[in-house]
Amino acid sequence: MTRLSALSRQTLDYLEQPVHATWSRGVSMSAIEMTARRSRERDDLATRYLGVRGASKRLCEGLSVEDHIVQSMPDVSPTKWHLAHTTWFFETFVLSRGPGVTPFHPAFHDLFNSYYLSVGKPFPRAQRGLLSRPSLDEVWAYREHVDAAVMDRLARGDLDAEGARILELGIEHEQQHQELILTDIKHVLWHNPLYPRYAGAEPVERASRDRCRASLRWHGLSPDIADLGHDGRGFCFDNELPRHRVLVPAYELASRLVTAGEYLAFMRDGGYRRPELWLSDGWDFCRREALSAPLYWLERDGAQLHFTLRGLEPIDEDEPVVHVSGYEADAYARWAGARLPREAELELAARGRPVAGNFVESGVLHPVAAASGGDIAQLFGDAWEWTQSAYAPYPGYAPPDGAIGEYNGKFMVNQLVLRGGSCVSPRSHLRASYRNFFPPHARWQFSGIRLARDP
Ligand SMILES: [Fe+2]
């Protein structure tokens, strides 16, 4: 048993105590229920915290020490930095709320700050790969130190409501970085001419063997005056609020994601050489970067290959195309006589459906072909779906007070919303109202295309 799981047991034992003690004193039911509820909430938080922290560790089991350090471009962070930064979040925003807390290392305060200017001076993002020190072992020790302190805080029950709320935010934040660990290490390994395989990736047959080619169909959705945004049940980020009323005209949505084979047809039809298909900014980007295929695609001996977390493989034309920019997604949609969906259209289509699909838990770590069937497939998982919606505040949005207000609000310009999650997203992290966002030129995320059109 590890130290953490021992602490977890100790925490859970402790959290049971107040309920029985209060009961024996004959206090009113409401007080007992209140105490029990608080205990359950702390219990759930401790369990979730340990589960998510353990999941980050498991993602690293297939990596060498050297793999943890490389930064392949400014947008990519080394795995070691992700491990330290997520820990920094808990130390800075949760543990610092208590008295007499000694930082694990005073220099870490700025070293592993990402962009929170109100609490310090973040180390330059593009130089994170230069941090050969602290060592990976020291970062693991940092994580253990903070984990023990968080568990102790929960066990003593001295985390106030705001502290518990920020702890939950930190857990969700770590899940976001778990996805980034995988997207970033894929970019790192791609730059190595040995095309190394990420050891954690399962063979694709495991997920796709029961699937067959699903032809694209169109689903008509009725016009609606609907409430958009989170409904208040469970956790959400501030950018999913406030819930507000929108008018959604009738629209049609494709039954599945665009496949690699369909995208190949766009390429063979001169898609990357026809300016009439592209937004002006997109065409400039396409020319400047000499784009001719999605990221990670390459031709060898006449065969179309792509790099996956399983290494270099032939393209499976039935799988969703992935690692396209918003510009490429938009050009493809125009070529196909359709358009990208609006975020409200995807949220309404996903609402009420189970969060089911191909997520990180499948172990495949790559999109898989849609199952044939009558419903709209792949609304969750496989690939983040580019929308044509600008990442903007919802009407009435206000960022939270303090440094946490820097989490989302200040990025609400020059980016597009993506919906649905991907094959490297943790399932428990997603919901219909979830808004991801990236600039339209971003290609290293697991981003794909779903078509929409007007009836
Ligand atoms: Fe972060």
Side-chain angles (χ1 to χ4, degrees):
M1 180 180 281
T2 65
R3 185 181 178 195
L4 284 182
S5 55
L7 274 169
S8 173
R9 187 62 260 158
Q10 180 190 25
T11 302
L12 300 185
D13 290 342
Y14 179 91
L15 292 171
E16 291 300 323
Q17 288 178 18
V19 182
H20 303 305
T22 309
W23 181 260
S24 65
R25 287 196 298 271
V27 182
S28 72
M29 276 298 291
S30 60
I32 292 166
E33 285 169 352
M34 187 82 75
T35 306
R37 182 179 168 179
R38 274 204 300 270
S39 294
R40 277 198 305 275
E41 287 171 354
R42 279 182 281 154
D43 187 343
D44 290 347
L45 261 183
T47 304
R48 278 205 69 209
Y49 177 86
L50 292 172
V52 167
R53 297 285 280 175
S56 299
K57 190 170 188 177
R58 285 194 297 280
L59 287 179
C60 301
E61 286 171 355
L63 299 178
S64 69
V65 171
E66 292 82 359
D67 289 336
H68 286 76
I69 298 165
V70 180
Q71 180 173 29
S72 50
M73 67 168 173
D75 283 341
V76 161
S77 295
T79 307
K80 184 176 75 173
W81 188 89
H82 286 298
L83 294 171
H85 163 68
T86 47
T87 305
W88 171 92
F89 191 96
F90 291 114
E91 184 179 54
T92 302
F93 296 126
V94 177
L95 296 181
S96 66
R97 297 177 62 79
V101 175
T102 307
F104 180 80
H105 191 300
F108 287 8
H109 184 70
D110 287 343
L111 217 48
F112 299 120
N113 179 355
S114 52
Y115 52 68
Y116 296 87
L117 300 174
S118 56
V119 298
K121 187 180 175 197
F123 183 77
R125 178 178 188 171
Q127 296 175 25
R128 291 170 185 167
L130 300 178
L131 296 174
S132 62
R133 311 291 175 88
S135 69
L136 182 59
D137 282 345
E138 286 172 295
V139 168
W140 285 121
Y142 179 36
R143 287 180 67 90
E144 282 196 21
H145 170 87
V146 167
D147 288 347
V150 168
M151 285 297 103
D152 183 57
R153 186 67 64 85
L154 283 169
R156 284 190 280 112
D158 65 354
L159 200 62
D160 61 10
E162 179 66 0
R165 195 186 65 76
I166 298 174
L167 180 63
E168 188 176 24
L169 176 65
I171 292 169
E172 300 284 341
H173 171 252
E174 177 130 359
Q175 288 188 303
Q176 290 183 315
H177 278 272
Q178 287 169 359
E179 173 152 1
L180 289 172
I181 283 173
L182 290 169
T183 51
D184 289 0
I185 200 66
K186 183 172 183 177
H187 196 261
V188 166
L189 297 176
W190 156 252
H191 281 79
N192 187 329
L194 300 176
Y195 298 116
R197 178 178 185 271
Y198 171 75
E202 294 289 327
V204 71
E205 289 77 19
R206 177 172 157 183
S208 65
R209 63 189 169 203
D210 296 330
R211 293 168 184 259
C212 57
R213 186 171 189 148
S215 57
L216 189 143
R217 288 168 287 101
W218 290 95
H219 289 259
L221 289 103
S222 303
D224 200 1
I225 297 172
D227 289 329
L228 189 71
H230 191 255
D231 64 7
R233 288 179 293 180
F235 175 86
C236 76
F237 288 106
D238 60 328
N239 63 8
E240 298 165 59
L241 294 171
R243 198 168 166 95
H244 59 286
R245 192 143 287 189
V246 292
L247 171 65
V248 183
Y251 63 107
E252 293 182 346
L253 210 52
S255 57
R256 56 159 171 74
L257 297 172
V258 170
T259 65
E262 290 164 341
Y263 198 83
L264 205 51
F266 162 75
M267 290 163 54
R268 288 172 176 157
D269 195 37
Y272 281 95
R273 300 189 301 276
R274 293 169 52 183
E276 73 272 18
L277 297 175
W278 294 73
L279 293 167
S280 176
D281 276 356
W283 183 246
D284 290 347
F285 175 70
C286 178
R287 295 294 88 196
R288 192 168 61 247
E289 300 292 323
L291 300 187
S292 60
L295 181 63
Y296 303 133
W297 284 33
L298 64 89
E299 242 182 85
R300 185 175 282 180
D301 302 326
Q304 189 67 62
L305 308 178
H306 63 163
F307 181 67
T308 74
L309 284 166
R310 299 183 296 272
L312 211 50
E313 294 183 335
I315 295 279
D316 178 340
E317 295 197 11
D318 292 338
E319 288 175 357
V321 66
V322 70
H323 298 298
V324 289
S325 63
Y327 293 133
E328 289 162 289
D330 182 86
Y332 176 88
R334 194 164 291 108
W335 173 81
R339 61 171 173 81
L340 295 182
R342 301 181 184 93
E343 65 170 323
E345 293 170 337
L346 288 181
E347 180 164 326
L348 295 184
R351 182 176 291 172
R353 294 171 188 270
V355 181
N358 173 28
F359 306 110
V360 69
E361 290 83 1
S362 76
V364 176
L365 310 183
H366 192 77
V368 296
S372 54
D375 202 3
I376 305 176
Q378 299 172 316
L379 282 166
F380 292 106
D382 283 308
W384 286 104
E385 300 175 18
W386 283 107
T387 74
Q388 60 172 271
S389 300
Y391 179 52
Y394 284 163
Y397 169 81
D401 292 335
I404 293 297
E406 295 189 61
Y407 197 111
N408 278 314
K410 68 183 186 180
F411 300 109
M412 290 176 172
V413 68
N414 298 333
Q415 313 214 50
L416 292 176
V417 172
L418 299 95
R419 291 285 188 144
S422 83
C423 56
V424 292
S425 307
R427 190 197 63 79
S428 65
H429 184 61
L430 300 171
R431 61 198 152 266
S433 60
Y434 195 106
R435 306 174 83 197
N436 198 357
F437 53 92
F438 279 97
H441 61 263
R443 308 175 86 211
W444 94 110
Q445 294 298 308
F446 283 78
S447 47
I449 311 167
R450 182 186 300 276
L451 298 178
R453 67 184 186 189
D454 301 316

